[in-house]
Amino acid sequence: MSPTAHILTPREVPDAAVPRLIEGAALADYAGYLTDESRRSGRAAALAFPTTLSEVSGAVRLALARGWDITVSNARTGIAAGAVPEGGLLLSLERLSRVTGLRLDAAGNLVLRCQAGVALSEVQKSLRRRSFQDSAAWSAASGEALEALRQKTFFYPPDPTETGAAIGGTIACNASGAHTFLYGPTRPYVEALTVVLGDGRVLDLERGACRATPEGRFGVRQPDGAVCWGTVPHYAWPRTKNAAGYYAAPEMDLIDLFIGSEGTLGIIVEAEIRALPAPEARCAVMTFWPDEAAALRFTRAVRGRRHDLGLEAVEYVDPNAMALLRRRRAALGAVSGVPECLPAGAGSAIYLDVGTTSARLEAVLEALCTAVAAHGGDPEVCWSAVAEDERERLRVFRHALPETVNAMIAEVRRQHPGVTKLGTDMAVPDEALEAVLALYRSRLDEARLPYVIFGHVGDNHLHVNILPQTPDDYDRGRRLYREFARAVVAMGGSPAAEHGIGRLKTDFLEVLYGADGVAQMRAVKAVLDPGGRLGAGILFQGARPS
Ligand SMILES: Cc1cc2nc3c(=O)[nH]c(=O)nc-3n(C[C@H](O)[C@H](O)[C@H](O)COP(=O)(O)OP(=O)(O)OC[C@H]3O[C@@H](n4cnc5c(N)ncnc54)[C@H](O)[C@@H]3O)c2cc1C
């Protein structure tokens, strides 16, 4: 590899335009932009909605000139308060919302070029309908790729539950979801990025083009032609799902530094994302289990066969969650989204999504029934849904659980506004699944705190939702949350597997990587954003990186 393959070379944007700034009293009309789904509220000196790359660059230069920090926001669906400003310039990319072209790669996958503000739901809908709102303005080559798309259905695998999230936000957070079990998180689907750095220059990053040296070194060319050298982090990246801090791997592709960096290294303005040919046949299956032990044995049995069976997702509903769903059905009837006929002896449930060929579907379902019977379940009481409307009913059922939790917290907040949702986001390696569940239960039961557990059991990534009734419950729940984070790290896992660190979980970085690991991250930031103005207060506590 030539030495320049380790050096990032940003370009200048001549005559960068400055977008209109919303400042002072005018900001009062934009209060919604000062918060995100974490419900934390912030403040900003100014807000801007750039509509071009040039305007993003111009806004950054203006912020520098005025000594402002810069917070990037996209769809504001984040739950770690990363899009909530604490002063300075709030840069909303929601008006950069066009898909600007398509191409087919050598493997026959479709690569979409999207501006950062395009909603994930829009990408999925356009791929399903095989038509794009802005295609009239595309190049001839993109038009030809669109014709190819009309012969075949494609889909974009990253699937955080919240499809209102924007492409830029999902890349900044390396978002993942239930289907990460088969397809992995956002990272492997990002082929190229256009990023504005903290000095207003632009980096065009292409996967495979620029890597760290074997010693982990990388350079950034400065405006005067000199190269500033840095070292990528060398801490051990957990063997589990992980959305905490800067990615680290030997000779890593430098595009991966920016994916998951939560707006602290650069502003993602455009991205090329890879869509895959969609499975011909899809099926959703709900299996019921007498108890947790049987459900976990079944999980262990089927997850090793994920590729063979086309298992896209393996999701758990624990006994407390089943009881909560039954109560919801009893209280609300059909509008609860919970079917009347939940099997009587069902103590827990495992939900599976299958994506396969039409020819294989029956054999896959048979294999699943055999596995259910072999591990103490009854195939006769399993539910399966192939038609889209039936799958949608099962989806509504699954979503009844987080909705019920949210409604319960909202109810408590009426009396105790300081209480917020206490949902963990931690993953452990395969061998620690039973141990972590035993730990959660023993500590929560000892503390007499109500809770439900559900989520991505295939990836050993279960969300524990503590349901505090009082401020005292809430404080004790928060302390347990921190205790679980340390225990999960000791097991080799991640305390922030999916939702990122943002401004709310900055202490978890040191728990995971140690003080030295955080220093390695700060050193990367100091090379790419020497002024420390991008996303100040996100990932790192306290003083600016030096
Ligand atoms: C009901 C619900 C369910 C959710 N489920 C999941 C889930 O299953 N999996 C999951 O991963 N997440 C989930 N989330 C969290 C959230 O949807 C994701 O983190 C998502 O990736 C955020 O995208 P966004 O566009 O809303 O980003 P924002 O909230 O606007 O920003 C999030 C962070 O990314 C940075 N950022 C945003 N855009 C850019 C950009 N263009 N360039 C640089 N930095 C940027 C921001 O500064 C901030 O730090 C859920 C949220 C909700 C409300």
Side-chain angles (χ1 to χ4, degrees):
M1 225 174 187
S2 90
T4 52
H6 311 298
I7 299 173
L8 298 168
T9 305
R11 61 184 158 94
E12 298 287 347
V13 180
D15 305 323
V18 176
R20 186 172 78 86
L21 291 187
I22 297 150
E23 295 178 86
L27 271 171
D29 294 336
Y30 295 85
Y33 288 88
L34 301 177
T35 183
D36 68 1
E37 287 293 331
S38 70
R39 309 286 179 215
R40 181 168 161 141
S41 282
R43 64 197 157 73
L47 165 65
F49 293 97
T51 56
T52 61
L53 177 69
S54 165
E55 285 190 352
V56 176
S57 171
V60 168
R61 287 189 189 280
L62 179 89
L64 273 182
R66 296 203 185 173
W68 285 337
D69 291 336
I70 300 166
T71 301
V72 190
S73 99
N74 234 306
R76 287 173 287 115
T77 69
I79 42 191
V84 180
E86 283 181 355
L89 177 65
L90 174 59
L91 208 53
S92 167
L93 299 199
E94 69 175 23
R95 294 187 192 167
L96 280 155
S97 58
R98 285 181 302 120
V99 178
T100 56
L102 285 186
R103 65 180 170 85
L104 284 171
D105 71 9
N109 298 309
L110 194 77
V111 178
L112 279 76
R113 185 148 194 108
C114 295
Q115 292 182 326
V118 176
L120 195 56
S121 56
E122 184 62 30
V123 168
Q124 303 292 23
K125 190 179 75 188
S126 301
L127 286 171
R128 260 195 321 272
R129 294 186 179 166
R130 303 171 188 184
S131 103
F132 290 80
Q133 213 176 5
D134 303 301
S135 58
W138 289 357
S139 67
S142 289
E144 278 167 32
L146 185 55
E147 282 313 306
L149 168 63
R150 294 203 168 113
Q151 321 298 318
K152 217 174 188 178
T153 308
F154 286 81
F155 78 114
Y156 180 56
D159 70 330
T161 317
E162 176 53 73
T163 58
I167 290 298
T170 56
I171 296 173
C173 297
N174 189 29
S176 59
H179 287 193
T180 296
F181 176 65
L182 186 62
Y183 301 111
T186 298
R187 182 181 311 284
Y189 299 95
V190 179
E191 295 296 329
L193 290 178
T194 303
V195 172
V196 173
L197 295 179
D199 62 4
R201 292 183 300 156
V202 175
L203 259 183
D204 298 299
L205 294 150
E206 217 175 284
R207 186 166 289 287
C210 204
R211 294 182 166 280
T213 67
E215 300 74 40
R217 305 283 287 159
F218 73 99
V220 181
R221 182 126 3 234
Q222 303 302 301
D224 64 2
V227 175
C228 177
W229 287 92
T231 305
V232 296
H234 52 272
Y235 40 67
W237 189 253
R239 286 181 287 127
T240 61
K241 277 169 83 172
N242 182 32
Y246 302 153
Y247 187 67
E251 293 185 65
M252 64 181 278
D253 195 316
L254 296 176
I255 197 172
D256 286 328
L257 273 181
F258 294 86
I259 301 166
S261 66
E262 300 189 50
T264 61
L265 295 182
I267 303 166
I268 298 161
V269 179
E270 246 181 75
E272 283 197 356
I273 55 171
R274 186 162 47 93
L276 304 183
E280 207 177 39
R282 283 207 141 111
C283 182
V285 180
M286 186 67 88
T287 63
F288 296 98
W289 301 93
D291 52 39
E292 186 159 278
L296 297 187
R297 281 197 303 274
F298 171 75
T299 300
R300 285 199 173 279
V302 295
R303 70 175 166 194
R305 300 180 63 191
R306 73 186 84 186
H307 295 289
D308 159 36
L309 298 177
L311 289 184
E312 296 177 310
V314 181
E315 300 278 301
Y316 184 47
V317 182
D318 93 322
N320 291 1
M322 287 294 279
L324 185 66
L325 287 171
R326 286 199 162 91
R327 290 201 295 276
R328 179 174 162 108
R329 170 74 206 192
L332 298 177
V335 293
S336 64
V338 183
E340 197 178 6
C341 51
L342 274 183
S348 62
I350 300 270
Y351 170 91
L352 307 133
D353 271 335
V354 173
T356 184
T357 61
S358 306
R360 290 257 309 136
L361 183 59
E362 210 176 304
V364 169
L365 290 177
E366 265 178 36
L368 287 175
C369 285
T370 305
V372 168
H375 294 92
D378 179 357
E380 295 297 317
V381 300
C382 292
W383 301 341
S384 64
V386 175
E388 200 164 335
D389 59 334
E390 290 173 350
R391 284 191 283 130
E392 177 57 19
R393 271 204 292 280
L394 270 192
R395 197 191 65 77
V396 169
F397 171 46
R398 274 177 64 209
H399 284 250
L401 194 49
E403 277 168 23
T404 309
V405 168
N406 291 344
M408 290 173 77
I409 298 290
E411 187 59 36
V412 174
R413 276 170 63 83
R414 273 191 227 192
Q415 222 188 327
H416 307 292
V419 170
T420 58
K421 192 170 159 173
L422 274 179
T424 70
D425 177 32
M426 306 185 192
V428 293
D430 280 359
E431 64 276 10
L433 176 60
E434 285 80 2
V436 84
L437 266 166
L439 172 81
Y440 291 153
R441 291 203 187 287
S442 69
R443 298 295 289 130
L444 287 158
D445 291 343
E446 267 166 38
R448 295 179 185 277
L449 286 168
Y451 65 94
V452 294
I453 300 178
F454 56 88
H456 319 307
V457 70
D459 282 320
N460 313 300
H461 175 205
L462 291 165
H463 298 298
V464 179
N465 276 266
I466 304 172
L467 303 168
Q469 306 297 304
T470 63
D472 175 57
D473 284 357
Y474 181 66
D475 290 341
R476 289 183 303 119
R478 276 171 62 96
R479 282 198 292 277
L480 273 186
Y481 196 128
R482 260 54 199 173
E483 179 187 320
F484 292 159
R486 288 189 294 275
V488 158
V489 171
M491 291 175 185
S494 168
E498 193 170 73
H499 301 149
I501 294 289
R503 295 185 191 281
L504 300 185
K505 300 186 198 164
T506 50
D507 54 328
F508 282 6
L509 277 189
E510 193 163 325
V511 173
L512 182 55
Y513 301 120
D516 183 48
V518 176
Q520 292 168 33
M521 252 180 270
R522 281 184 182 272
V524 169
K525 173 135 172 104
V527 172
L528 282 161
D529 177 30
R533 300 230 167 259
L534 285 180
I538 298 168
L539 297 185
F540 305 107
Q541 285 172 325
R544 285 180 196 290
S546 54

